[in-house]
Amino acid sequence: MKNHHMRNALSAVALGAVLAACSSFEAEQVNGVQSVEPVPAALAAGEAVMAAHSSVFSDEEIAALEARMADYVADGHVRGIATRLVHQGQIVSDMHTGIIKLETQTPIADDTLYRIYSMTKPITGVAMMMLWEEGKFSLDDPITKFVPEFENLRVLDGENPDGSPKLVDAKRPPTIREIMSHTAGFAYGLSGDDPANTAFRDQEILRAPDLETFIAKTAEVPLLFQPGEQWVYSASVDIQGYVVQQISGMSFGEFLDRRIFTPLGMDDTAFVVGEEDYARFSEVYAPHPETGELVPVPYDWVQFTPETASFESGGGGLVSSMDDYTRFCQMLANGGALDHARLIKPETLELMRTDVLGDAIELTYGDGSDASGHGFGLDFGLILDGAAAEGNYPDGTYYWGGAAGTWFWIDPVNDLFFIGMVQEFESRGADDLRAVSAEHVYAALADAAGE
C-alpha cells in the first residue's frame, strides 16, 4: 500500500492553505458504573518508559525501527520525532530524538507537547458516540435538528452562462452519520479552487473566533455535492463539536475535559497551551523557501496560546502529549475503557470502525494517492482489505493522522497500536514515515514468529 497517503489524507489534503502561507514566508462516566480491568502500570501512570521487547517481536527489527525513525532526524527530514509501539497494554518500543526549539536546541522529552491537528477528530467522534449511547440523537437524524442554521443549504451545480456558480437547493439536510463520515458535502478550504473551498479560505472560516461564528459562516457556503453522494474530507468534524456543545449544554472544551480527558488522565490535552507549559511545546517547522532549511513557522495560528487560538475545533484544534494520546489509544484498544472509566461500549466502537461507504461511494484522497482497500467509518479511516491496499496492516486496522505529521494506527488483530509524533509542514522526504514504521512493526512480528 502507498501508506504515505494515510498521512496525506490530512497532511497534503489539509495543508493547501497552510503551505501557501509557509511558501510566502513573511473515572467512570455517567454512562453507568462498570468495573474495568486496569491497564499495566506503565500506561495507567501515563509514564513514558522503555520496556523490554515482547517475546512476540524481534529485538533486531524493533532496534531497526527505532534506528530508522532516528535517521529521519539525522538526515534532516524532520527536526524531531517520537514514536511508541504498544502491544497488549505494554510499551514495546518508545523512542524520541531531535529538538523542539531551534534557537535553544531544546531536545524532545517525555512530556513534549505536540499539535495533533486532525488526530483531534477521533476524540470528537468518541464524544459524539458517548452522547449517542445516551440516546441524545440517532445517526440518521438530520443535522438541522441540532443546527437549524443549516435549514436552507445550497449545493454547487456547475456554472451559469456568466461564469458564476450555479446553485440548487439541497434535496435534504445531511444526516449525523454523513457528518461523521465526510459524506455530507461540506467543504474545508484546505485545497480546491471551487467556490465553496474558496469561500472557506477567503472568509477565514477556520479562524472563526467561536463555534457559533464558524457555524453561521459555514451555513452560507454551498455544499460541494448533494448529501450522501460522495466522500470529501471536510469541516464536518468541527460541526460535530458544535453538536456536542448543543446537546450537552457545556462548551465543547468543557465536555471533552469532563467526560474524556479527566477520566482518562489526559492532563496535557487541550485547545490552548498555557504559559507555564510553553517551554515544552514543540515548534512546528517548514522548509524556508529560499534556503530549504527547516525553520519555525512564524504565524500566530500555530502558537495555540489563549491570545492566538481560534474556536474549539473538533476537527483539528487539540494539543497533546505522547503519554496522553497513548492513553486515548489504549482506551480504544481496550474496547472503549481504560482503568475504571468506560467511555463507550465495545459495540459502539465496533460501529465507529465499520465502513459506511460501501460500493456506492468512492474513497478518494485529495493528494491523488491510491485508496484501494481502504474505507471510512465514523471519524476513522479503515483498512478493509490489507491485500488490496498493498500494505502490512491487517484487515480491521483503523487510523488517522494530523497536519503536522502525527500519525497513529490501531490493529485489533494483533492487539497493538503505534503512535508517531513529528511537527513539520511540507515534508522533506518524510512522507513514508507511516509506511516505514509499519514495515518494521510487522516485520518484527513476522521475524519473532519465524515467518
Side-chain angles (χ1 to χ4, degrees), residues 303-314:
Q303 304 309 320
F304 286 80
T305 63
E307 297 75 27
T308 61
S310 57
F311 68 95
E312 294 178 335
S313 167

Side-chain angles (χ1 to χ4, degrees), residues 223-295:
L223 300 179
L224 295 169
F225 49 83
Q226 290 288 346
E229 292 187 353
Q230 297 180 45
W231 187 95
V232 171
Y233 196 50
S234 69
S236 62
V237 191
D238 292 308
I239 296 169
Q240 291 174 49
Y242 184 73
V243 171
V244 169
Q245 186 168 282
Q246 293 295 95
I247 292 175
S248 70
M250 309 178 202
S251 72
F252 182 46
E254 183 181 5
F255 182 92
L256 294 183
D257 187 59
R258 287 190 184 184
R259 299 290 305 275
I260 297 179
F261 302 153
T262 296
L264 294 185
M266 295 173 64
D267 298 333
D268 282 331
T269 305
F271 287 110
V272 298
V273 178
E275 183 178 354
E276 69 280 6
D277 293 316
Y278 218 75
R280 59 189 178 101
F281 184 36
S282 177
E283 293 173 321
V284 61
Y285 301 91
H288 191 282
E290 296 178 359
T291 67
E293 178 188 9
L294 286 176
V295 295

Side-chain angles (χ1 to χ4, degrees), residues 150-336:
F150 290 166
E151 287 283 358
N152 299 305
L153 292 173
R154 304 274 277 166
V155 181
L156 291 173
D157 189 32
E159 289 187 355
N160 292 311
D162 64 358
S164 62
K166 180 181 177 182
L167 302 178
V168 297
D169 291 337
K171 295 177 182 178
R172 58 171 177 78
T175 66
I176 298 291
R177 192 188 312 271
E178 289 162 346
I179 294 289
M180 295 187 71
S181 60
H182 297 289
T183 58
F186 290 97
Y188 213 168
L190 302 167
S191 62
D193 57 3
D194 57 87
N197 280 297
T198 299
F200 259 80
R201 290 191 293 272
D202 289 349
Q203 298 179 36
E204 297 187 323
I205 293 177
L206 296 183
R207 293 292 297 153
D210 50 57
L211 272 166
E212 291 76 14
T213 303
F214 164 79
I215 290 293
K217 288 188 173 185
T218 300
E220 299 300 318
V221 178
L223 300 179
L224 295 169
F225 49 83
Q226 290 288 346
E229 292 187 353
Q230 297 180 45
W231 187 95
V232 171
Y233 196 50
S234 69
S236 62
V237 191
D238 292 308
I239 296 169
Q240 291 174 49
Y242 184 73
V243 171
V244 169
Q245 186 168 282
Q246 293 295 95
I247 292 175
S248 70
M250 309 178 202
S251 72
F252 182 46
E254 183 181 5
F255 182 92
L256 294 183
D257 187 59
R258 287 190 184 184
R259 299 290 305 275
I260 297 179
F261 302 153
T262 296
L264 294 185
M266 295 173 64
D267 298 333
D268 282 331
T269 305
F271 287 110
V272 298
V273 178
E275 183 178 354
E276 69 280 6
D277 293 316
Y278 218 75
R280 59 189 178 101
F281 184 36
S282 177
E283 293 173 321
V284 61
Y285 301 91
H288 191 282
E290 296 178 359
T291 67
E293 178 188 9
L294 286 176
V295 295
V297 174
Y299 303 110
D300 63 359
W301 46 264
V302 304
Q303 304 309 320
F304 286 80
T305 63
E307 297 75 27
T308 61
S310 57
F311 68 95
E312 294 178 335
S313 167
L318 287 174
V319 168
S320 191
S321 64
M322 178 63 83
D323 285 349
D324 272 19
Y325 215 80
T326 295
R327 293 183 63 76
F328 178 71
C329 287
Q330 188 65 63
M331 177 273 295
L332 296 173
N334 290 349

Side-chain angles (χ1 to χ4, degrees), residues 410-432:
I410 299 176
D411 169 359
V413 172
N414 294 294
D415 193 9
L416 66 81
F417 62 87
F418 188 93
I419 305 170
M421 299 286 197
V422 298
Q423 296 285 270
E424 179 195 353
F425 294 144
E426 193 174 3
S427 171
R428 299 197 321 174
D431 276 346
D432 61 346

Side-chain angles (χ1 to χ4, degrees), residues 111-122:
D111 64 350
T112 292
L113 299 177
Y114 306 91
R115 301 156 190 80
I116 61 170
Y117 286 118
S118 278
M119 277 165 53
T120 303
K121 288 178 167 69

Side-chain angles (χ1 to χ4, degrees), residues 35 41 88 93 96 102 148-149 168 236 239 264 295 312 378 405 407 442:
S35 177
Q88 295 182 347
S93 171
H96 53 72
L102 182 60
E149 293 88 341
V168 297
S236 62
I239 296 169
L264 294 185
V295 295
E312 294 178 335
L378 303 178
W407 77 100
Y442 291 107

